[in-house]
């Protein structure tokens, strides 16, 4: 809008009537795209019965044109009303049929109440806007292979306003009816199936029916010359979309198989048919997250779910699990939606829980709960042990803070808590409560109390204390078995529960299984299991008195509870000496974690863990546990790199041992593609000495083949990145050649990863400048550069810019949460020194205006540094 119009509107607002868009006692909006919970509640108190009619004209250029028509009811005209629309060029505004200049600040329009009526109103806005390039709003991507343009939308938490005019908050559900004019070769996909396509020759107009009531972030529209696969063999029609240049990499049969299995499972479990009639899924580039549950048109990240190779078992399982997760959201999240962003955790926790349950019961991956433990749950334990831990349910001040606490506590602790609640109430009772909740609140918004009350009613049990302990109190408790033996029999047995600190002192009630084991010559014998509901600091277990004195006790057998297990000394010694003899894979997985926790908690030295790992990792026959153990080994090497120059000779010795073990196991598993690939991936990531790097170069050149192993394009890039990371001779030339051979989007991003990881000071500074200051660098590529700029062994190179990165952090922080999630994860300086701990503390003490997200990242970085320093000191003893 030009300055004259802005001045005119300001004059009118100041002289004729108030233009505040707030109710009494609610602060005015601050001119940004964000809205506080109080402001959103004030708006939903007066606005209802919202319907959107949206029209888009798409050409493939960097801008699009659109018209947003909003019909709504207004309960009161006492206060001005705001409508969200981000960075648009408005050409026309009609309010109840009258053309007016818009009072628009680039983030929202302020509508004077004298222009509105109590009751029905219609506002129509014509505008144009740049496509987004950061993964939000209506994102535009140009394929580097063939130049074709693809669009997809992403709105969570509050980015629908980057595409159309909207009341952008979850508790103002609405119907969405759209028409889209697009190039004739394009597909257009939305929540509903199109009802009509009109061919105009040089374009087509797609018409879609009105959706059921949805929150804005659940709606979507995607367009482009997507390749489409279709399967109508199930109860609901299914389609899958991907870019044409990558279509050959898509195993569409797996997608349709898992989708059909999931839809059947959830229809039955929820007792409500899938709400959106057809099931579309799209693989899209530059995606910010793993996937997004848009109603009826789910988007998935290409980089996570597309490979230039045969999918491994782990990749197929991950695909099945994420399909189930997003599918669960169609009921829990889309059909019934939270009122405000403090309820986002319940959406994600429930989808994580239900996604794992469906994967374990409806697909071939019946070990899904073990995989959940080895990945998600362990991350939740780690997150819940940090100084920045938080309750599962937390207040969210504004839409800008919606993702401040979206982490492993939100997803995996929440899912674990729901799982143990299911054990506490019983599986059938829990299902009945879920079904009642969904039926009662279909197409509405609900709150945590509504969900808990449904479960309480089904179980005829008061869950208020459980809710308070588990959802409103932070921290993970530790459980230890304490027992005495007399004449080879247990004479006394107790469970001891402890809290992590005085700040997080809650002791909780939950139901677990306590299992006893005795060591034999060739195996660990499982002798006894009892179910125990414990609470408080001490719980006696008289059922175990009289049992044979065990060599191993595990007080959370089968992983019913959310609790860290600290092994008693007798059990810990048994595990160190005989871990491979434990036949139960879930128990073995949990025992590995107990040993790693002992290192992290300072009870065991890193050296002791490494010795156990070198003996037992090659003996591991379970694919899921092997991935868990390799994760520990990778973390071991990273820690040793961080401790440099201390322990250099030991670090070199361990690194060679781990590398040689990985190569040996790669060769031994030539008849098992999944195991071989998992070990070979470890070999690549662990290789750091000249012998191993030279061997990788020979494998890449085809002169040192490994029996059974095919070097795909994905593996070629992994090797090239590792060779460049250590500046192996001729690695730069290998990078340049591979970059010419593979000009795909994934190839370009892999080339960036290889280039930025090279240990060259001038190169690092150039890329840091691009990341911080070059707005022309697409965010998807900036994110790759951040992740690879400072590998753990390049401490001196990181230190060269560490002061600059900390000094400019407050300015960089203004780039917003999308950018800062990636920046904080990768570019907060880490050095494993007391000096860096002091530097981080200085930033925390002096840069008081940092966002909550960035401050939290600094606190976690400092704690990680303190742990590293402690481990280094322990290793020296």
């Amino acid at each position: 809008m030009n300055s004259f119009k802005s001045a005119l509107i300001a004059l009118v607002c100041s002289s004729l009537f108030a233009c505040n868009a707030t109710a009494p006692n609610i602060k005015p909006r601050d001119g940004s795209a964000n809205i506080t919970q109080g402001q959103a509640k004030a708006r939903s108190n007066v606005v209802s019965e919202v319907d959107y009619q949206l029209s888009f004209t798409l050409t493939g250029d960097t801008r699009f044109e659109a018209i947003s028509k909003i019909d709504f009811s207004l309960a009161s005209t006492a206060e001005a009303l705001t409508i969200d629309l981000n960075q648009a060029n408005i050409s026309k505004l009609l309010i109840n049929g009258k053309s007016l200049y818009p009072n628009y600040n680039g983030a929202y329009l302020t509508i004077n109440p004298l222009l509105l009526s109590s009751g029905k109103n219609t506002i129509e806005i014509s505008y144009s806007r740049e496509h987004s390039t950061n993964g939000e709003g209506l994102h535009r991507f140009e394929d580097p292979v063939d130049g074709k343009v693809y669009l997809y939308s992403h709105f969570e938490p509050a980015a629908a306003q980057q595409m159309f005019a909207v009341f952008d908050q979850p508790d103002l559900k609405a119907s969405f009816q759209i028409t889209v004019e697009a190039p004739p070769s394009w597909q257009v996909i939305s929540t509903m199936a199109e009802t009509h396509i009109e061919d105009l020759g040089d374009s087509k107009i797609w018409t879609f029916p009105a959706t059921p009531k949805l929150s804005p972030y659940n709606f979507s529209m995607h367009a482009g010359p997507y390749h489409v696969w279709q399967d109508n063999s199930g109860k609901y029609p299914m389609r899958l979309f991907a870019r044409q240049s990558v279509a050959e990499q898509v195993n569409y049969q797996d997608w349709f198989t898992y989708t059909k299995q999931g839809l059947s499972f959830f229809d039955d479990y929820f007792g409500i048919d899938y709400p959106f009639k057809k099931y579309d899924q799209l693989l899209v580039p530059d995606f910010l997250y793993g996937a997004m549950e848009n109603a009826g048109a789910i988007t998935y990240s290409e980089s996570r779910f597309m490979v230039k190779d045969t999918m491994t078992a782990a990749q197929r399982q991950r695909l099945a699990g994420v399909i189930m997760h997003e599918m669960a959201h169609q009921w829990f999240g889309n059909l019934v939606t939270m009122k405000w962003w403090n309820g986002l955790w319940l959406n994600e926790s429930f989808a994580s829980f239900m996604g794992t349950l469906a994967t374990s019961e409806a697909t071939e991956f019946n070990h899904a709960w073990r995989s959940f433990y080895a990945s998600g749950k362990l991350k939740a334990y780690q997150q819940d042990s940090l100084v920045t831990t938080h309750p599962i349910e937390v207040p969210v001040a504004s839409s800008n803070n919606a993702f401040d606490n979206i982490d492993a506590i939100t997803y995996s602790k929440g899912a674990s808590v729901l799982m143990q609640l299911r054990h506490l109430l019983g599986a059938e009772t829990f299902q009945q409560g879920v079904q009642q909740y969904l039926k009662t609140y279909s197409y509405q918004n609900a709150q945590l109390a509504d969900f808990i009350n449904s479960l309480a009613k089904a179980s005829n049990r008061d869950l208020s204390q459980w809710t308070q302990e588990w959802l409103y109190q932070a921290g993970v408790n530790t459980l230890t078995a304490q027992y005495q033996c007399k004449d080879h029999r247990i004479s006394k047995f107790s469970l001891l529960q402890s809290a992590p600190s005085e700040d997080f002192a809650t002791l909780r009630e939950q139901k677990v299984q306590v299992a006893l084991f005795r060591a034999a010559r060739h195996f660990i014998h499982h002798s006894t299991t009892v179910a125990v509901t414990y609470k408080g600091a001490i719980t006696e277990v008289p059922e175990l008195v009289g049992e044979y004195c065990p060599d191993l006790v595990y007080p959370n057998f089968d992983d019913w509870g959310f609790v860290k297990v600290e092994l008693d000394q007798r059990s810990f010694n048994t595990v160190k000496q005989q871990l491979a003899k434990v036949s139960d894979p879930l128990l073995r997985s949990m025992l590995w974690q107990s040993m790693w926790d002992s290192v992290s908690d300072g009870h065991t030295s890193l050296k002791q863990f490494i010795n156990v790992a070198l003996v037992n990792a090659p003996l591991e026959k379970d694919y899921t546990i092997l991935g868990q153990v390799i994760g520990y080994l990778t973390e071991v090497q990273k820690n040793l790199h961080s401790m440099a120059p201390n322990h250099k000779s030991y670090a070199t010795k361990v690194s060679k041992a781990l590398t040689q073990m990985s190569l040996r196991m790669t060769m031994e598993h030539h008849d098992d593609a999944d195991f071989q690939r998992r070990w070979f991936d470890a070999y690549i990531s662990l290789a750091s000495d000249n012998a191993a790097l030279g061997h990788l170069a020979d494998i890449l050149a085809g002169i040192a083949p490994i029996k059974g192993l095919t070097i795909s394009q994905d593996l070629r890039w992994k090797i090239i990145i590792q060779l460049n990371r250590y500046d192996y001779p001729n690695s730069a030339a290998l990078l340049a050649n591979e970059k010419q051979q593979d000009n795909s989007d994934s190839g370009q991003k892999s080339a960036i990863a290889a280039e930025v990881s090279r240990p060259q000071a001038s190169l690092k500074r150039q890329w840091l400048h691009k990341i911080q200051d070059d707005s022309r660098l697409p965010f998807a590529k900036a994110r790759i550069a951040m992740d690879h700029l400072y590998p753990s062994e390049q401490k001196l190179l990181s230190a060269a810019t560490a002061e600059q990165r900390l000094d400019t952090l407050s300015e960089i922080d203004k780039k917003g949460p999308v950018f800062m999630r990636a920046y904080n994860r990768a570019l907060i300086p880490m050095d494993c020194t007391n000096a860096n701990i002091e530097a981080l503390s200085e930033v925390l003490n002096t840069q008081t205006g940092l966002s909550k997200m960035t401050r939290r990242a600094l606190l976690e970085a400092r704690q990680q540094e303190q742990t590293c320093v402690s481990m280094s000191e322990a290793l020296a003893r």
Side-chain angles (χ1 to χ4, degrees), residues 400 404 813 820 824 848-856:
N400 190 50
D404 280 356
D813 197 34
M820 292 310 295
N824 290 335
T848 56
L850 293 170
S851 67
K852 182 179 178 181
M853 177 187 291
T854 295
R855 184 169 180 82
R856 170 180 165 169

Side-chain angles (χ1 to χ4, degrees), residues 283-302:
L283 281 156
V284 297
D286 291 351
F287 205 59
L288 288 172
Y289 312 104
M292 177 60 202
E293 66 268 18
N294 314 304
I298 300 90
T299 42
Y300 297 82
S301 168
E302 278 184 0

Side-chain angles (χ1 to χ4, degrees), residues 764-799:
K764 301 289 185 188
R765 288 189 180 276
Q766 289 170 12
W767 271 102
L768 182 61
H769 172 71
K770 284 184 182 180
I771 291 166
Q772 292 181 334
D773 302 317
D774 189 353
S775 60
R776 296 169 299 176
L777 180 65
F779 176 70
K781 293 182 177 179
R783 185 169 54 170
I784 296 292
M786 293 182 211
D787 286 341
H788 291 85
L789 191 57
Y790 294 113
S792 58
E793 75 281 356
Q794 295 180 10
K795 289 185 62 175
L796 293 178
L797 290 168
S798 176

Side-chain angles (χ1 to χ4, degrees), residues 214-232:
L214 293 172
S215 293
Y217 83 94
N218 295 141
F219 176 68
S220 68
M221 187 275 287
H222 324 283
Y226 287 97
H227 185 88
V228 56
W229 298 267
Q230 189 153 352
D231 186 328
N232 294 323

Side-chain angles (χ1 to χ4, degrees), residues 558-614:
D558 276 346
D559 195 32
W560 282 17
F562 184 83
V563 65
K564 289 176 68 173
V565 170
E566 183 177 326
L567 296 173
D568 64 273
Q569 191 59 52
R570 180 183 176 94
S571 297
F572 191 82
N573 291 337
T574 299
V575 172
K576 282 196 303 181
Q577 297 164 11
Q578 305 185 60
L579 177 60
K581 295 180 182 178
V582 176
S583 59
D584 183 276
L586 178 56
L587 176 61
R588 201 160 65 249
S589 176
M590 292 189 290
L591 291 172
W592 272 107
Q593 181 60 26
S594 290
M595 288 194 299
W596 183 250
D597 283 342
S598 185
V599 175
S600 301
D601 295 341
H603 303 315
T604 305
S605 73
L606 186 61
K607 185 177 293 186
Q608 200 171 14
F609 178 87
I610 291 169
N611 292 338
V612 172
L614 286 171

Side-chain angles (χ1 to χ4, degrees), residues 392-510:
I392 295 177
E393 170 90 1
V394 294
V396 175
S398 80
S399 55
N400 190 50
N401 303 111
F403 282 177
D404 280 356
N405 290 302
I406 299 300
D407 52 25
I409 293 174
T410 307
Y411 282 78
S412 299
K413 181 180 180 179
S416 302
V417 164
L418 291 174
M419 183 58 163
Q420 60 100 338
L421 181 59
R422 182 175 182 252
H423 283 300
L424 198 63
L425 303 183
E428 289 186 7
T429 299
F430 184 86
Q431 182 180 0
Q432 290 169 5
V434 169
Q435 288 182 346
Q436 185 58 45
Y437 171 76
L438 293 174
K439 289 175 182 176
T440 301
Y441 297 101
S442 287
Y443 302 107
Q444 300 176 54
N445 295 93
Q447 300 182 86
L448 173 62
D450 302 318
F451 177 67
I452 295 298
N453 288 341
S454 295
L455 295 176
K457 184 177 180 181
S459 62
N460 194 29
R461 174 174 174 151
D462 183 357
L463 293 176
S464 56
Q465 184 64 31
W466 180 92
T467 302
Q468 182 62 36
E469 290 179 354
W470 284 103
L471 305 183
Y472 290 101
Q473 301 296 325
V476 55
N477 298 116
T478 298
L479 189 64
T480 306
Q482 184 180 77
Y483 56 96
Q484 298 174 6
C485 294
K486 184 177 181 180
D487 297 329
H488 306 294
R489 298 277 182 171
I490 295 175
S491 58
K492 186 175 183 181
F493 196 105
S494 305
L495 292 178
L496 308 183
Q497 180 185 192
S498 59
S501 68
E502 292 183 2
D503 293 332
F504 305 107
T506 301
L507 298 178
R508 299 171 171 89
E509 175 187 357
Q510 65 178 325

Side-chain angles (χ1 to χ4, degrees), residues 57-207:
T57 301
L58 310 174
T59 63
D61 291 338
T62 58
R63 296 188 71 86
F64 65 93
E65 295 184 351
I67 301 172
S68 295
K69 183 180 179 183
I70 313 170
D71 294 317
F72 61 97
S73 290
L74 194 64
S76 169
T77 59
E79 300 291 337
L81 183 69
T82 60
I83 299 175
D84 307 302
L85 179 62
N86 190 275
Q87 300 301 315
N89 184 1
I90 297 175
S91 58
K92 187 177 182 180
L93 171 65
L94 293 175
I95 300 178
N96 292 326
K98 184 177 181 181
S99 180
L100 296 161
Y101 285 130
N103 181 7
Y104 179 54
N105 64 1
Y108 50 85
L109 296 95
T110 302
I111 310 298
N112 193 280
L114 296 182
L115 303 173
L116 300 170
S117 304
S118 293
K120 293 291 186 180
N121 290 270
T122 299
I123 295 177
E124 184 174 317
I125 306 164
S126 302
Y127 59 97
S128 65
R129 192 193 190 279
E130 291 277 346
H131 284 287
S132 301
T133 57
N134 70 343
E136 293 188 315
L138 187 56
H139 181 90
R140 180 183 183 273
F141 175 85
E142 185 171 344
D143 194 323
V145 173
D146 55 22
K148 297 182 186 299
V149 171
Y150 295 86
L151 312 177
Y152 64 86
S153 69
H154 180 82
F155 298 152
E156 190 180 31
Q161 59 191 274
Q162 296 183 35
M163 183 172 153
F164 56 91
V166 58
F167 300 116
D168 210 350
Q169 57 191 75
D171 63 340
L172 280 176
K173 283 197 164 188
S175 66
F176 298 81
Q177 190 279 318
I178 65 169
T179 58
V180 181
E181 182 175 357
S185 62
W186 283 22
Q187 298 281 339
V188 180
I189 306 102
S190 189
T191 299
M192 309 299 289
E194 66 276 6
T195 53
H196 182 68
I197 304 174
E198 181 182 359
D199 192 343
L200 302 180
D202 58 352
S203 66
K204 290 182 179 178
I205 296 180
W206 297 63
T207 303

